[in-house]
Amino acid sequence: MRSYLASQVSDASHRQVPGPLLDGQGASGVVVRNGVALASRGDPGRSEMAFSATKRVLSLVAGLAFDDGLLRLDDPVCHSVGLPQFGDTHGRKVTERSRPAVRPERAGPTTTSG
């Protein structure tokens, strides 16, 4: 394990970030429940460079939205996401349940319901 971690740290190829970087101004965020801000830190309106932490936060938010009835797994994604990729005939059939969670190394065909 030690040699694996050392090789990952020494490999500079994964350190390239596409696009501009924001100046670091520390962590920020806000915790809201039932429309009431329970806690905040820094400037919650400021964009942050969260990288892979984004997946964890998004999965938490999606779980809360599901629990609150705001995310329905069998509704077409195009009803809640205004992206042109979901505007064609195929895209309008994509649901959260049918949309595969694909890792790049396991990329394969997508499935749709309906």
Side-chain angles (χ1 to χ4, degrees):
M1 179 56 89
R2 187 180 305 263
S3 65
Y4 170 77
L5 293 174
S7 70
Q8 294 302 305
V9 171
S10 67
D11 179 10
S13 66
H14 66 279
R15 296 184 191 159
Q16 300 301 315
V17 178
L21 294 174
L22 298 174
D23 57 330
Q25 294 185 358
S28 65
V30 63
V31 177
V32 177
R33 177 148 177 95
N34 296 326
V36 177
L38 301 177
S40 65
R41 178 179 179 172
D43 178 7
R46 184 179 186 286
S47 297
E48 292 291 336
M49 305 290 287
F51 300 105
S52 60
T54 305
K55 295 179 210 74
R56 292 170 182 85
V57 172
L58 183 57
S59 65
L60 173 68
V61 170
L64 293 172
F66 177 79
D67 286 349
D68 290 347
L70 301 171
L71 175 64
R72 294 178 181 87
L73 300 180
D74 295 314
D75 285 355
V77 173
C78 66
H79 291 177
S80 57
V81 178
L83 293 174
Q85 294 88 333
F86 297 110
D88 64 9
T89 303
H90 171 76
R92 287 190 299 271
K93 295 179 183 177
V94 176
T95 67
E96 284 300 326
R97 188 182 308 273
S98 71
R99 192 178 60 82
V102 178
R103 293 182 179 165
E105 68 272 12
R106 295 183 184 172
T110 60
T111 60
T112 59
S113 64

